[in-house]
Amino acid sequence: ALDLIDGATEWEAALIQALPARHPQPDPLDPEAMKAWNANFADAMRDVFAAHPESHEVRTVFAESLLNLTPWKMWDLRSGKPAASARTVEAQTVLEEALEGDPPAMHPPGLLHLYVHLMEMSPFPEKALKAGDALRRLVPDAGHLIHMPTHIDILCGHYQNVVDWNEAAVEADLKFYEKRGAFNIYTGYRQHNYHFVIYGAMFLGQFEPAMRAVQGMAQTTPEEMLRMESPPMADYFESYLSFGPHVLVRFGRWREATQLELPDDPDLYCTKAAHVHYARAIGHAALGEVDAALTAQQLSDAVVEEFSVGVFEKGPFPDDDSASGLDATSLEGLVFGKIREFLTEGADQVEVGRWGVAQAFCAHELWRFLEHRRGLGSDADERDRARALEALHQLPAPARRLQPA
């Protein structure tokens, strides 16, 4: 680029001259050491932007350089304020200055895309609704750009948009899949579209779109790809294949949940195996099948424990303390919560465990693959009940009949 700079416009030449700050040498260093390159590039781009503020391309690259200093950590989520170490205010100013005062700025997809990324973790994601609406129609064959506005939609309660536009993103990305197959990193983007269809459909109470997405994801994520070791594709992509059990739990398909089959290779599909046990545990508990519920809970805990280091640190939730979406404390609380629902429904007539049958349905089951951090207070509450239930379960069958409160 430097050799051909004589034929470039002024702003293009300025961009080219800033690139050596980002790539000072051909060979990469340790990621921690390369953070200095990002900082140097942001400083260089600040000078380029000062000289060419009229260029949407320059504005886009400058804003991106600021976001890349602290990716996905632009906001302090507890206080709602910009993160202390981030250039959040500067990036917001650079983007909003154009989007609010320069109508043509609503056309370059880069500006809109970055604004969605900046605002999705802010206290006011609704500020990016207009940008998202403009972005999703600009590049109809770019599935990711169709998808990204739904990060704002989901936060603003626009759940039908989440389903409809992610189905459109899947359709766009299947064109790439048909040409290039699944053996590439873009598989993760396509999975994420399916992932959002599932999430939005669960909020809407729409079982069919959720299951279509589960099936579509499975059909376009071949096992041969997951077995690739470099890069470790299973570490990144296998966890997305575990969402089916959560759909059954969300919609109260308790018997179907108890009948889920484990994957043929539970080591390769370790997240899915854990979540099958999880769904079985909840299903059995909701049906009052206490022994089976506790067994499935223990099996889920065992899988999570076995693969807790490494595998569950990747996938959709790499920064979460419980990246599998499951932990022993929360699952215990859910299982005993379901058992409690069973026990207290018609308590003067219902017997516990294999001596009793009940119809149970929970319309508001938390789908744990995205909102999997239950309040620990309620879990502690359930553990108290668990101890009482455990003692009850040791009694002979006739004594198990519950008495009305």
Side-chain angles (χ1 to χ4, degrees), residues 102-334:
D102 180 9
M106 294 299 291
H107 299 288
L111 287 173
L112 301 169
H113 185 198
L114 292 174
Y115 192 58
V116 168
H117 271 291
L118 175 64
M119 303 311 292
E120 67 172 314
M121 300 182 77
S122 76
F124 25 80
E126 67 277 4
K127 293 188 71 173
L129 281 169
K130 182 179 177 181
D133 284 340
L135 174 62
R136 65 175 113 234
R137 294 178 172 86
L138 281 177
V139 192
D141 283 337
H144 182 64
L145 298 185
I146 298 171
H147 154 82
M148 266 310 301
T150 65
H151 280 237
I152 301 299
D153 290 326
I154 198 73
L155 295 167
C156 295
H158 298 179
Y159 305 131
Q160 195 63 56
N161 270 353
V162 175
V163 172
D164 293 345
W165 284 104
N166 278 284
E167 288 185 331
V170 166
E171 185 176 351
D173 283 343
L174 285 177
K175 297 177 184 177
F176 180 82
Y177 170 77
E178 289 164 3
K179 290 183 179 294
R180 300 294 295 274
F183 291 78
N184 50 70
I185 203 70
Y186 200 70
T187 285
Y189 287 82
R190 186 177 61 258
Q191 285 185 320
H192 189 44
N193 300 339
Y194 285 121
H195 169 202
F196 259 52
V197 172
I198 295 166
Y199 194 35
M202 289 165 80
F203 271 113
L204 290 168
Q206 295 179 358
F207 179 74
E208 289 78 8
M211 287 308 298
R212 278 202 309 270
V214 168
Q215 293 158 5
M217 195 186 314
Q219 291 165 0
T220 57
T221 309
E223 183 172 313
E224 295 81 0
M225 186 269 288
L226 295 178
R227 292 193 181 280
M228 291 175 62
E229 295 183 0
S230 182
M233 299 297 248
D235 286 358
Y236 293 114
F237 298 147
E238 182 270 327
S239 56
Y240 280 99
L241 301 176
S242 68
F243 295 160
H246 294 280
V247 176
L248 298 181
V249 170
R250 165 64 180 90
F251 289 97
R253 303 291 185 104
W254 307 129
R255 184 53 67 201
E256 291 173 61
T258 66
Q259 295 170 346
L260 283 169
E261 295 185 1
L262 286 168
D264 292 336
D265 187 344
D267 289 339
L268 178 65
Y269 294 94
C270 58
T271 317
K272 184 175 181 179
H275 288 225
V276 165
H277 288 307
Y278 151 83
R280 287 177 177 177
I282 299 299
H284 283 301
L287 294 169
E289 297 162 357
V290 178
D291 291 337
L294 295 177
T295 298
Q297 176 201 330
Q298 292 164 1
L299 290 170
S300 179
D301 294 347
V303 175
V304 172
E305 179 68 24
E306 181 177 357
F307 293 98
S308 60
V309 178
V311 173
F312 290 154
E313 293 173 355
K314 301 181 177 70
F317 320 108
D319 294 325
D320 195 271
D321 293 337
S322 177
S324 70
L326 302 173
D327 62 71
T329 301
S330 293
L331 180 54
E332 181 183 59
L334 287 169

Side-chain angles (χ1 to χ4, degrees), residues 4-65:
L4 300 173
I5 201 168
D6 289 343
T9 64
E10 288 187 11
W11 66 264
E12 288 173 334
L15 281 177
I16 292 169
Q17 289 165 344
L19 284 175
R22 178 62 183 83
H23 303 284
Q25 64 184 56
D27 297 323
L29 300 176
D30 176 86
E32 195 65 28
M34 289 192 294
K35 286 183 178 181
W37 300 1
N38 290 335
N40 293 339
F41 183 58
D43 291 341
M45 282 306 306
R46 187 177 290 103
D47 294 337
V48 176
F49 178 65
H52 302 281
E54 77 289 346
S55 167
H56 292 151
E57 288 80 3
V58 167
R59 189 180 292 268
T60 298
V61 176
F62 177 40
E64 183 183 38
S65 74

